[in-house]
Amino acid sequence: MSQSIDYNTLVYEERVHSRCYIDPDIFNEEMEKIFHQGWVYVGHASEVPENGDYKTTTIGLQPVIMSRGQDGKIRVLMNRCKHRGPTVCQFQKGNAKFFRCAYHGWTYKNSGELIGVPFPKGYGDDFNKVEYGLDEAAVTGEYRGLIFASLSENAMPFEEYLPEPVRKYIDNFFNLSPLGEIDVRRGVLKTDVNANWKHQLENGSADGYHPHFTHENWMNLIAERLGSARKMGVWEDGGPDSGERQRYLGGPAHCTIDYLEKRKRRAEREGLKIPTQLEQSILAVMPHPDTKGDGSKAWEVYPEMSDEAIERYIADMVQAHGEERAKELLASGGSHMSIFPNLQITPLSIRVLRPVAVNKTDVEVYIPWFKGVPDEFNIHRMRGGEGFFGLSAWGGQEDYEMFERIQEGMEAQKNPWTLLTRGMNRQGIDSDGLMEAGITDELCIRKIWEYWLKVMSGEKEVQDCGKISSEEVARS
Amino acid sequence: MTIVSRLLNVGDEEMIALQAKATAFLAKENQLLDAFRYDDWVNLWAMDGIYWLPVERGDDPREMLSHIYEDIHRIKDRVKTSQKEIAYPQEPRSETSRHTSNIIITDLGEDSVTVYSSFCVVEYRKRKQSIYAGHFEHVLTTGDGRLEEMRIRKKTVYLMGSNYPVGNISFIL
């Protein structure tokens, strides 16, 4: 790998060089410094509810198994036999007491412990199986079932990685469940995007500028369904006075879009009651085409939500969280946030970024169910998620198309710089001391690059995780 | 053919006639989609039609996320929006060549027939050719027995690799 990349000449506060998105050497260094040495989201505990449940995924480019052992503990294990290196688990998810390498029969417990080596005499008397269990991530951290891991023992403390302001916005999402719990094992939509992973990172961090244009088709459709009186109201500049904010939440480069103030104001202005708020929050702005009640919608696709069920849900929320907090949660409708580098939570979804190559990224979209919420609400959310993120739908495909266009356009090198100045003239500090700007501004994108530059240039202390060299990463 | 006929309790000749109609229907559907005749394609649907592309075979769409699970209203929405100039994932639009074969009748209802088939859709867009393959299950209403009266009550698309990352399928399968 080239040691000669001078990152300080590629990233400035107001612009970034396109090389950061298209240079394979930079991608390989990113995998090493950000994904293999930093904290990365791996999965949610509800994906492996029973002992023996597992899912396979990657940390950067490295294959891992998130496995719940017979002791009930969730571990992040490297999916690699300690003998000669084959993966020991071949499926995306499942349940297994043991992982057995098919090459020479080495067998591991689902906790990673090596328990079987065929013909062990060939290794001599001093061979100690304890030393050859599946490698584990160096550290793991968990918040509300969200499981993060780092392959480096020198990663920053988990509390520093996921500081309090971030947790508050995570809570806003989880607490839409009166039980405070979500179920992420409800299927996942995976898309193969031919673009660099950072396009989705930037887009999902707090880019409230693009929906007006990228998603115009979808937004017109929603406006048509809701009727003009209740348009989504996003055809606005989103300046500091709009009541919608993007906030930088600290940690490495976490950020959020906060709609709460705007939704509260609208509720006051238009006299909306909580059930109406529900449509734009927990039900996540995907009304069925037939909301006008001619009775022709298929109940099978969109089950009826009775007033009784809505009232019951609100009562449960009030009981669980208190009236003030329940109202706030319902008005805010969850969270829209980005947890660096690879987790994004939107009112509908949990989105996971999995870089594959400099111009290839897998984007995974989960639509969690809220526990203790009437099934028909969750089914609505699921159908809404399909309508936005699914195949032949609108939102997801529209974003991915833009990412691929960026990847193509960045080859034009006459002027290789992107422009990130939006909102520099109106950003500030909020009452909690967090940096904030308007929803259509680019504050959060600038903060992401500020952190990226620190890590990539080595200004921020990062340690070699000691397991794999950059050259090996490049070859893999 | 004989075995299926016996199982479904109809004669061979009736079975052959049904199969011929189903085959003609599926060919018609492919031709309309290949020719971008989406409004005509929508007219192939029954008003209670359901279009389903599960993530995994065996999923219950009431319990699990699907790629697509739509009634006729949303099918119409999709067709309407996909033809607009601002449908960016289809700018330029995908050309397709669809091939459906191994068409067999697997069930007979009072006014419907269930048809299972293999499909291969070759797509070309922006210098890239992609192949999408798998199986269709169509539940077709038989109407008064005439081909032009048949409608799709349910179309299930079992896409190979649907539980792994899939590409930009912003056209109709």
Side-chain angles (χ1 to χ4, degrees), chain A residues 79-105:
Chain A
N79 189 1
R80 175 195 164 122
C81 179
K82 288 299 281 289
H83 173 218
R84 299 263 294 278
T87 51
V88 296
C89 180
Q90 311 309 317
F91 301 100
Q92 297 185 99
K93 61 182 181 181
N95 184 286
K97 280 192 174 151
F98 307 101
F99 299 113
R100 182 174 176 275
C101 178
Y103 198 15
H104 303 93

Side-chain angles (χ1 to χ4, degrees), chain A residues 108-138:
Chain A
Y108 305 85
K109 278 192 189 175
N110 54 18
S111 54
E113 188 185 338
L114 177 64
I115 52 164
V117 175
F119 320 135
K121 283 180 187 165
Y123 288 104
D125 292 337
D126 57 349
F127 181 76
N128 186 358
K129 280 192 292 206
V130 173
E131 292 170 21
Y132 295 95
L134 295 175
D135 285 318
E136 262 190 75

